[in-house]
Amino acid sequence: WDETHFGKMGSYYINRTFFFDVHPPLGKMLIGLAGYLSGYDGTFPFQKPGDRYEQHNYMGMRGVRLYRLVSSCLALLCFSVQMLELSRSLPAALLTAFILIFDTGCITLSQYILLDPILMFFLMGAVLSMVKCNSCADRPFSASWWFWLCLTGVNLAGAMGVKFVGLFVVLLVGLNTIYDLWDLLGDLSLSLVMFGKHLLARVLCLILLPLALYTAMFAVHFTVLNKSGPGDGFFSSAFQSQLIGNNLHNVSIPE
């Protein structure tokens, strides 16, 4: 059923038809982009599970360009987290990667038009970026430290932009940041000015940057979906007047 739902959302993006959905837009925009790049024209109705795609080019949306690439990266991310930062054990890292590669649930999720592989990619990316940033704690404000801190913020925005359940990795990174700042505050050799710089860097990269990216996702979302669709009724008349094909299109709406 979920493939029917998210496949239809991808078709809406290809056809630039406005719709309303409970999930943030990033994952569905990526699904639509994968379909567009693979030649899918957005005409399949996605009415019920089990409908045959027949001549419609659905392979790009289902996995050739997006899901299998993302799912392949998951094993590499897990290996990197274990091998480079956590256990630092090659057998443990290989075991972690092989368990994920041969996990039936992960293989199944990677074969259909779903948001979960994209979400897991950003979740694991956020964890990897966080632990890599922690490993640079002995050289703060270096190029690598800034890179991993910024990449953590980017992955947080990605996780939240796919599904709201990404809030849990935001909580994980937030707790790690609080612990890190508390440890810095207790360092008597560190001046308050330097502590303020650490605090400002984290506010910039882990709060303001994700918020800016998250807002930009919705800006793209509303820019692409400029035609009237099934989601019009959830929004105000003033908003509906901006949608091509709506009965209120270009009608002057009092404030």
Side-chain angles (χ1 to χ4, degrees), residues 15-86:
N15 295 318
R16 306 192 68 172
T17 303
F18 188 78
F19 67 94
F20 176 79
D21 189 55
V22 296
H23 297 295
L26 178 60
K28 293 167 293 186
M29 285 195 293
L30 292 175
I31 290 173
L33 178 62
Y36 176 78
L37 294 177
S38 60
Y40 171 60
D41 57 6
T43 57
F44 186 73
F46 286 101
Q47 292 180 345
K48 64 181 184 298
D51 286 347
R52 294 186 179 277
Y53 289 103
E54 296 178 348
Q55 78 278 6
H56 295 277
N57 188 358
Y58 65 94
M59 292 303 295
M61 297 177 68
R62 237 190 193 187
V64 171
R65 291 180 179 269
L66 180 62
Y67 294 104
R68 292 176 185 174
L69 174 63
V70 168
S71 299
S72 300
C73 291
L74 288 178
L76 296 175
L77 289 173
C78 288
F79 178 85
S80 299
V81 171
Q82 280 285 349
M83 178 63 186
L84 301 179
E85 301 303 329
L86 297 183

Side-chain angles (χ1 to χ4, degrees), residues 77-199:
L77 289 173
C78 288
F79 178 85
S80 299
V81 171
Q82 280 285 349
M83 178 63 186
L84 301 179
E85 301 303 329
L86 297 183
S87 68
R88 297 183 182 274
S89 168
L90 180 59
L94 288 174
L95 177 62
T96 303
F98 276 116
I99 288 175
L100 186 61
I101 290 172
F102 295 105
D103 178 72
T104 304
C106 188
I107 294 173
T108 303
L109 288 176
S110 303
Q111 293 179 347
Y112 297 102
I113 305 172
L114 301 173
L115 298 181
D116 303 271
I118 310 172
L119 173 65
M120 290 189 293
F121 173 79
F122 284 114
L123 292 177
M124 285 304 305
V127 173
L128 175 62
S129 303
M130 181 187 70
V131 297
K132 289 292 290 183
C133 184
N134 289 341
S135 69
C136 299
D138 57 336
R139 49 187 189 280
F141 306 109
S142 62
S144 58
W145 185 87
W146 277 111
F147 172 78
W148 290 113
L149 189 63
C150 290
L151 190 58
T152 303
V154 171
N155 283 310
L156 291 180
M160 281 293 296
V162 175
K163 276 189 175 182
F164 288 124
V165 74
L167 182 63
F168 286 104
V169 79
V170 175
L171 179 62
L172 172 66
V173 174
L175 292 175
N176 176 79
T177 303
I178 291 173
Y179 175 82
D180 189 29
L181 289 174
W182 181 257
D183 190 49
L184 291 172
L185 187 61
D187 186 356
L188 299 180
S189 64
L190 196 69
S191 67
L192 287 178
V193 173
M194 185 58 66
F195 175 79
K197 291 181 179 179
H198 276 278
L199 177 61

